[in-house]
Amino acid sequence: MMMKKNSTQVPYFTLAAYLDSGDMKFLYFLVLLTVYVLIVGANVFLIVVICMNRSLHEPMYMFLLSLFVNELYGSTGLFPFLLVQILSDLHTVPAPLCFLQIFIVYSYGGVEYLSLAVMSYDRYVAVCCPLHYKSLMTADRTAALIVLTWSYPLVLITVMVCMTSSLQLCGNVINKVYCDNYSVVKLSCSDAFVNNIYGLITTFCTIIFPLVLIIFTYVKIFRVCLHGSKQTRQKAVSTCTPHLAVLLNFSFGACFETLQSRFDMSRVPAVLRIFLSLYSVASLPLFNPLMYGLNVSKIRLGARSLISTMFSEGRQKIQALQSLFRTHRKR
């Protein structure tokens, strides 16, 4: 197929979805900075809790550890960029940085869905096959599943970004507040049929397939709960409720983002489009640690133990400094 004569590899992209907010941009900057600090603090804290507490070195908590690392990965790929863009007047981004952000955001989403799928499988084995749980969910299998949840989407997204970055583009304006793969593909001068097909394949492999697996496992879990004892139902509810809440929350944001990329959403108010576009990537890294930290009893107890230990050690250090200061004054 012939390329248009004005096609080129653009050096930068312009993000056209930013609104002229005047002095309010400083307020938005502070709000986003606060959210980012909370995200980093909450996820790092729970990572430390799981790493330092040996009773949490079990498959379920190892999968949660991987999930919390992914929240840091995804939010760090987006928030610093947004903070810079909010204070900027030009809202341009170099092409390499744009493609890097596409890679991070899309791989974050893929790892998130696959992590939730692996966690649902873990809950299925724990509830439906409790006697075989330790033999099925060994340390080696747990490690292999975690490696799979990361390597599988990273490879798929790497190929997707390479295909997109090789396109000849006839424009450089993206109607989003961050870089989006489909928005770049739409700027192609030539037919991007192969890119669109691969994009659909990637969506199926990283979203649809894990979602089908999650639904299948939870149907099995609910069947066991209906015919099981009260203790079995309580165990299933306590361990599966946070997982389902996280799944529904992320699916809502991902569904809107997919619809916004593929269909005309111009009738939706710009502020609402921006909010919903950032919802899944911005809210989930904070929602997940709060949901699991408050609802999973072992993590909650481990967090309390770590906080009390930190306060105790801090008090002892303060007392030691005070004693040293008094000794120095007496001399």
Side-chain angles (χ1 to χ4, degrees), residues 203-271:
T203 301
F204 176 83
C205 293
T206 57
I207 297 179
I208 306 301
F209 175 70
L211 189 59
V212 170
L213 179 60
I214 292 169
I215 293 172
F216 174 78
T217 54
Y218 272 97
V219 168
K220 293 286 188 180
I221 290 172
F222 290 143
R223 283 184 178 178
V224 171
C225 291
L226 289 175
H227 299 92
S229 63
K230 183 179 179 181
Q231 184 179 0
T232 302
R233 287 195 294 271
Q234 289 177 343
K235 179 183 177 181
V237 169
S238 63
T239 59
C240 295
T241 299
H243 185 69
L244 285 173
V246 169
L247 175 64
L248 291 173
N249 188 39
F250 185 66
S251 297
F252 170 76
C255 180
F256 178 82
E257 186 60 20
T258 302
L259 291 175
Q260 182 175 224
S261 298
R262 299 284 172 174
F263 299 100
D264 181 18
M265 305 290 285
S266 58
R267 295 184 179 181
V268 179
V271 175

Side-chain angles (χ1 to χ4, degrees), residues 9-231:
Q9 292 285 357
V10 298
Y12 65 89
F13 292 97
T14 300
L15 303 174
Y18 284 91
L19 304 175
D20 185 12
S21 53
D23 292 337
M24 289 293 291
K25 66 182 180 181
F26 298 106
L27 176 61
Y28 299 147
F29 177 87
L30 288 175
V31 171
L32 279 180
L33 180 62
T34 302
V35 173
Y36 182 53
V37 170
L38 290 174
I39 287 171
V40 173
N43 284 282
V44 168
F45 177 71
L46 290 183
I47 289 172
V48 172
V49 168
I50 294 174
C51 289
M52 294 186 65
N53 196 326
R54 289 188 177 181
S55 65
L56 297 178
H57 293 179
E58 299 176 3
M60 173 182 173
Y61 305 106
M62 291 299 100
F63 295 139
L64 282 175
L65 177 66
S66 175
L67 191 71
F68 297 146
V69 171
N70 189 47
E71 307 304 353
L72 289 176
Y73 168 70
S75 58
T76 301
L78 180 66
F79 274 87
F81 175 85
L82 291 176
L83 292 172
V84 171
Q85 289 296 324
I86 285 175
L87 295 181
S88 175
D89 295 326
L90 297 177
H91 307 303
T92 59
V93 53
L97 182 58
C98 185
F99 290 120
L100 176 62
Q101 186 178 64
I102 290 172
F103 173 80
I104 293 175
V105 172
Y106 278 68
S107 58
Y108 159 76
V111 173
E112 192 81 9
Y113 255 115
L114 283 173
S115 295
L116 294 175
V118 168
M119 290 167 64
S120 68
Y121 171 74
D122 174 71
R123 292 301 85 207
Y124 162 74
V125 176
V127 175
C128 301
C129 311
L131 299 178
H132 302 285
Y133 181 78
K134 289 187 177 180
S135 62
L136 290 173
M137 298 302 297
T138 61
D140 290 341
R141 178 168 291 185
T142 301
L145 288 172
I146 291 174
V147 170
L148 178 65
T149 60
W150 282 86
S151 59
Y152 181 61
L154 289 178
V155 171
L156 287 174
I157 302 306
T158 298
V159 175
M160 183 187 75
V161 172
C162 288
M163 291 175 64
T164 303
S165 62
S166 65
L167 289 173
Q168 295 292 323
L169 307 179
C170 290
N172 67 340
V173 178
I174 299 175
N175 293 313
K176 300 285 287 290
V177 293
Y178 63 89
C179 293
D180 170 75
N181 184 71
Y182 189 66
S183 297
V184 176
V185 171
K186 287 193 295 185
L187 297 173
S188 173
C189 300
S190 59
D191 186 7
F193 176 77
V194 176
N195 295 73
N196 289 325
I197 292 299
Y198 187 80
L200 292 174
I201 293 173
T202 303
T203 301
F204 176 83
C205 293
T206 57
I207 297 179
I208 306 301
F209 175 70
L211 189 59
V212 170
L213 179 60
I214 292 169
I215 293 172
F216 174 78
T217 54
Y218 272 97
V219 168
K220 293 286 188 180
I221 290 172
F222 290 143
R223 283 184 178 178
V224 171
C225 291
L226 289 175
H227 299 92
S229 63
K230 183 179 179 181
Q231 184 179 0

